[in-house]
Amino acid sequence: MNNSTRFQLSFMMFLQYFIWCAWYVSMNSYMVANLGSSGKQITYAYGALAVATMISPFFVGRIADRYFSAQKIMGALHLAGAAFLFLSTLTSSNLLFITFILIYSLLYMPTIALSNSVAFRQMQDPAKQFPAVRMLGTVGWIVGGLLIGSLGIEKTANIFYIAAAASLIMGLFCFTLPDTPPQGSAASAGSAIGTEAFVLFKNRSYLVFFIAAVLICIPLSFYYSFANLFLNEAGMENAAGKMILGQLSEALFILAIPILLKRLGVKKMLILGMIAWVLRYILFSYGNSGPGIWMLYGGIILHGICYDFFFVTGYMYTESRAGEKIKSAAQGLFTFATYGLGMVIGNWFSGMVADFYTINKVRDWQAIWLVPVYIAAAVLIYFIIAFRDKKPV
């Protein structure tokens, strides 16, 4: 991979995650301020993203594997997505807003798996080269958080305007990326929805990993749906800006993945990631904006281990176990598990928990955050006992 290609892939990752951060992190605060949304309505909006993740990546993954170049599909999806981000600002109806977010999510979520596929196909040694390229995605998220936080626009429609403009730029840029043509043969009727990727389940350890990925995303949904709202209500100033400390942590740890993965192996890396989830929610449960402010910062900073050690390692683990002809579908399968099925269950459950512990619009955040502590701990124990794969990535 030459320097020109490395730059293109890095900028692709930068824009991919800048777009996501710009609107996603602060959407809960926007909905409360502008739509008067309840906890359930907030999680319905975040759940729309998860539903889209379950539906679209398989179809688009199969198209990329068999019919059209992945970078062209990405370009078209981002251009269409820019329009729906803008449309979402034009309504005061929770139902219509959630509908626009669902349509946008159907367009955006497949591009996560596609961006990984485009990157992997240009690399001679993905285990060494991917983390450095993917780190620019983390930088994009950091820049997005800093921009939104510094401008003080967390509760305004500007978060969607910025994301829409970046999506437009990304859509055009995708058509300049290295060609990533389809690799498979003509698809059968059954393969049209990506069923070839299910062959990964024949590997018992991958099936255990897949189940753990689904379950760990239930506590993950608590963070995505309520962290920004929680930090604002806890009295933390410039919460969106402070939350980028998690991405700074992510940027540091992602560079260490090739070394740590080689020394520790897949199982220990994933276990460390899940332990970090447990610790993060314990810190959120007992932290406050007074003497316990360090706990809030600690919970944010742990994001680097939470995300990198489980999700980035998971993408690389999936890549190493997939056959050449199903790589896009396999990435879609992992995206389905993490940002789809698990988040659908998690968003429904977290919204129910948040409303249960809310009395007269006052939320008992300690009680809310202890629930994902117990779930993450249970998943950790299951994974430690059941996962057996010792083959290197």
Side-chain angles (χ1 to χ4, degrees), residues 330-345:
Q331 291 297 328
L333 178 65
F334 182 62
T335 303
F336 171 92
T338 52
Y339 293 109
L341 183 59
M343 291 293 285
V344 166
I345 299 170

PDB file of all heavy atoms in Angstrom, residues 330-345:
ATOM      1  N   ALA A 330     -19.143 -10.731   5.563  1.00  0.00           N
ATOM      2  CA  ALA A 330     -18.700 -11.041   6.925  1.00  0.00           C
ATOM      3  C   ALA A 330     -18.596  -9.775   7.766  1.00  0.00           C
ATOM      4  O   ALA A 330     -18.976  -9.768   8.941  1.00  0.00           O
ATOM      5  CB  ALA A 330     -17.348 -11.761   6.883  1.00  0.00           C
ATOM      6  N   GLN A 331     -18.085  -8.695   7.176  1.00  0.00           N
ATOM      7  CA  GLN A 331     -18.044  -7.429   7.899  1.00  0.00           C
ATOM      8  C   GLN A 331     -19.469  -6.945   8.197  1.00  0.00           C
ATOM      9  O   GLN A 331     -19.749  -6.407   9.271  1.00  0.00           O
ATOM     10  CB  GLN A 331     -17.280  -6.377   7.092  1.00  0.00           C
ATOM     11  CG  GLN A 331     -15.792  -6.640   6.968  1.00  0.00           C
ATOM     12  CD  GLN A 331     -15.079  -6.623   8.302  1.00  0.00           C
ATOM     13  OE1 GLN A 331     -15.454  -5.893   9.205  1.00  0.00           O
ATOM     14  NE2 GLN A 331     -14.052  -7.444   8.430  1.00  0.00           N
ATOM     15  N   GLY A 332     -20.371  -7.162   7.241  1.00  0.00           N
ATOM     16  CA  GLY A 332     -21.758  -6.821   7.468  1.00  0.00           C
ATOM     17  C   GLY A 332     -22.372  -7.650   8.576  1.00  0.00           C
ATOM     18  O   GLY A 332     -23.192  -7.161   9.354  1.00  0.00           O
ATOM     19  N   LEU A 333     -21.969  -8.898   8.661  1.00  0.00           N
ATOM     20  CA  LEU A 333     -22.466  -9.789   9.710  1.00  0.00           C
ATOM     21  C   LEU A 333     -22.049  -9.289  11.091  1.00  0.00           C
ATOM     22  O   LEU A 333     -22.859  -9.250  12.025  1.00  0.00           O
ATOM     23  CB  LEU A 333     -21.924 -11.207   9.492  1.00  0.00           C
ATOM     24  CG  LEU A 333     -22.318 -12.257  10.536  1.00  0.00           C
ATOM     25  CD1 LEU A 333     -23.821 -12.502  10.505  1.00  0.00           C
ATOM     26  CD2 LEU A 333     -21.557 -13.565  10.302  1.00  0.00           C
ATOM     27  N   PHE A 334     -20.787  -8.877  11.218  1.00  0.00           N
ATOM     28  CA  PHE A 334     -20.319  -8.370  12.510  1.00  0.00           C
ATOM     29  C   PHE A 334     -20.998  -7.042  12.844  1.00  0.00           C
ATOM     30  O   PHE A 334     -21.373  -6.786  13.993  1.00  0.00           O
ATOM     31  CB  PHE A 334     -18.800  -8.202  12.497  1.00  0.00           C
ATOM     32  CG  PHE A 334     -18.244  -7.733  13.814  1.00  0.00           C
ATOM     33  CD1 PHE A 334     -18.381  -8.504  14.956  1.00  0.00           C
ATOM     34  CD2 PHE A 334     -17.603  -6.514  13.919  1.00  0.00           C
ATOM     35  CE1 PHE A 334     -17.882  -8.075  16.180  1.00  0.00           C
ATOM     36  CE2 PHE A 334     -17.098  -6.072  15.137  1.00  0.00           C
ATOM     37  CZ  PHE A 334     -17.237  -6.851  16.267  1.00  0.00           C
ATOM     38  N   THR A 335     -21.173  -6.186  11.840  1.00  0.00           N
ATOM     39  CA  THR A 335     -21.890  -4.941  12.060  1.00  0.00           C
ATOM     40  C   THR A 335     -23.329  -5.224  12.483  1.00  0.00           C
ATOM     41  O   THR A 335     -23.886  -4.542  13.353  1.00  0.00           O
ATOM     42  CB  THR A 335     -21.883  -4.082  10.783  1.00  0.00           C
ATOM     43  OG1 THR A 335     -20.531  -3.836  10.388  1.00  0.00           O
ATOM     44  CG2 THR A 335     -22.561  -2.747  11.014  1.00  0.00           C
ATOM     45  N   PHE A 336     -23.922  -6.239  11.876  1.00  0.00           N
ATOM     46  CA  PHE A 336     -25.272  -6.672  12.254  1.00  0.00           C
ATOM     47  C   PHE A 336     -25.321  -7.035  13.741  1.00  0.00           C
ATOM     48  O   PHE A 336     -26.242  -6.633  14.469  1.00  0.00           O
ATOM     49  CB  PHE A 336     -25.658  -7.886  11.407  1.00  0.00           C
ATOM     50  CG  PHE A 336     -26.927  -8.575  11.841  1.00  0.00           C
ATOM     51  CD1 PHE A 336     -28.139  -8.208  11.287  1.00  0.00           C
ATOM     52  CD2 PHE A 336     -26.897  -9.585  12.768  1.00  0.00           C
ATOM     53  CE1 PHE A 336     -29.320  -8.843  11.679  1.00  0.00           C
ATOM     54  CE2 PHE A 336     -28.056 -10.228  13.168  1.00  0.00           C
ATOM     55  CZ  PHE A 336     -29.276  -9.861  12.623  1.00  0.00           C
ATOM     56  N   ALA A 337     -24.320  -7.777  14.203  1.00  0.00           N
ATOM     57  CA  ALA A 337     -24.304  -8.209  15.598  1.00  0.00           C
ATOM     58  C   ALA A 337     -24.101  -7.054  16.552  1.00  0.00           C
ATOM     59  O   ALA A 337     -24.783  -6.960  17.577  1.00  0.00           O
ATOM     60  CB  ALA A 337     -23.196  -9.256  15.803  1.00  0.00           C
ATOM     61  N   THR A 338     -23.184  -6.143  16.212  1.00  0.00           N
ATOM     62  CA  THR A 338     -22.803  -5.096  17.156  1.00  0.00           C
ATOM     63  C   THR A 338     -23.751  -3.909  17.131  1.00  0.00           C
ATOM     64  O   THR A 338     -24.290  -3.518  18.167  1.00  0.00           O
ATOM     65  CB  THR A 338     -21.369  -4.618  16.862  1.00  0.00           C
ATOM     66  OG1 THR A 338     -21.246  -4.260  15.482  1.00  0.00           O
ATOM     67  CG2 THR A 338     -20.364  -5.715  17.176  1.00  0.00           C
ATOM     68  N   TYR A 339     -23.973  -3.336  15.954  1.00  0.00           N
ATOM     69  CA  TYR A 339     -24.807  -2.139  15.864  1.00  0.00           C
ATOM     70  C   TYR A 339     -26.234  -2.437  15.443  1.00  0.00           C
ATOM     71  O   TYR A 339     -27.028  -1.511  15.266  1.00  0.00           O
ATOM     72  CB  TYR A 339     -24.182  -1.136  14.900  1.00  0.00           C
ATOM     73  CG  TYR A 339     -22.882  -0.576  15.420  1.00  0.00           C
ATOM     74  CD1 TYR A 339     -21.667  -0.930  14.841  1.00  0.00           C
ATOM     75  CD2 TYR A 339     -22.879   0.282  16.510  1.00  0.00           C
ATOM     76  CE1 TYR A 339     -20.471  -0.426  15.336  1.00  0.00           C
ATOM     77  CE2 TYR A 339     -21.687   0.783  17.008  1.00  0.00           C
ATOM     78  CZ  TYR A 339     -20.494   0.424  16.417  1.00  0.00           C
ATOM     79  OH  TYR A 339     -19.307   0.920  16.913  1.00  0.00           O
ATOM     80  N   GLY A 340     -26.574  -3.708  15.274  1.00  0.00           N
ATOM     81  CA  GLY A 340     -27.919  -4.095  14.885  1.00  0.00           C
ATOM     82  C   GLY A 340     -28.681  -4.807  15.968  1.00  0.00           C
ATOM     83  O   GLY A 340     -29.321  -4.181  16.812  1.00  0.00           O
ATOM     84  N   LEU A 341     -28.592  -6.131  15.975  1.00  0.00           N
ATOM     85  CA  LEU A 341     -29.402  -6.941  16.873  1.00  0.00           C
ATOM     86  C   LEU A 341     -29.224  -6.564  18.336  1.00  0.00           C
ATOM     87  O   LEU A 341     -30.199  -6.351  19.070  1.00  0.00           O
ATOM     88  CB  LEU A 341     -29.067  -8.430  16.662  1.00  0.00           C
ATOM     89  CG  LEU A 341     -29.871  -9.432  17.483  1.00  0.00           C
ATOM     90  CD1 LEU A 341     -31.365  -9.284  17.194  1.00  0.00           C
ATOM     91  CD2 LEU A 341     -29.398 -10.850  17.200  1.00  0.00           C
ATOM     92  N   GLY A 342     -27.979  -6.463  18.781  1.00  0.00           N
ATOM     93  CA  GLY A 342     -27.718  -6.124  20.179  1.00  0.00           C
ATOM     94  C   GLY A 342     -28.243  -4.747  20.540  1.00  0.00           C
ATOM     95  O   GLY A 342     -28.802  -4.542  21.628  1.00  0.00           O
ATOM     96  N   MET A 343     -28.087  -3.781  19.615  1.00  0.00           N
ATOM     97  CA  MET A 343     -28.533  -2.421  19.898  1.00  0.00           C
ATOM     98  C   MET A 343     -30.053  -2.301  19.862  1.00  0.00           C
ATOM     99  O   MET A 343     -30.634  -1.492  20.588  1.00  0.00           O
ATOM    100  CB  MET A 343     -27.895  -1.446  18.905  1.00  0.00           C
ATOM    101  CG  MET A 343     -26.393  -1.280  19.091  1.00  0.00           C
ATOM    102  SD  MET A 343     -25.961  -0.475  20.656  1.00  0.00           S
ATOM    103  CE  MET A 343     -26.387   1.215  20.283  1.00  0.00           C
ATOM    104  N   VAL A 344     -30.731  -3.093  19.018  1.00  0.00           N
ATOM    105  CA  VAL A 344     -32.195  -3.092  19.014  1.00  0.00           C
ATOM    106  C   VAL A 344     -32.713  -3.541  20.374  1.00  0.00           C
ATOM    107  O   VAL A 344     -33.573  -2.896  20.992  1.00  0.00           O
ATOM    108  CB  VAL A 344     -32.742  -4.014  17.909  1.00  0.00           C
ATOM    109  CG1 VAL A 344     -34.233  -4.287  18.126  1.00  0.00           C
ATOM    110  CG2 VAL A 344     -32.548  -3.371  16.544  1.00  0.00           C
ATOM    111  N   ILE A 345     -32.175  -4.663  20.851  1.00  0.00           N
ATOM    112  CA  ILE A 345     -32.568  -5.167  22.170  1.00  0.00           C
ATOM    113  C   ILE A 345     -32.171  -4.159  23.244  1.00  0.00           C
ATOM    114  O   ILE A 345     -32.962  -3.834  24.142  1.00  0.00           O
ATOM    115  CB  ILE A 345     -31.912  -6.529  22.444  1.00  0.00           C
ATOM    116  CG1 ILE A 345     -32.349  -7.556  21.399  1.00  0.00           C
ATOM    117  CG2 ILE A 345     -32.244  -7.018  23.857  1.00  0.00           C
ATOM    118  CD1 ILE A 345     -31.559  -8.861  21.448  1.00  0.00           C
TER     119      ILE A 345
END
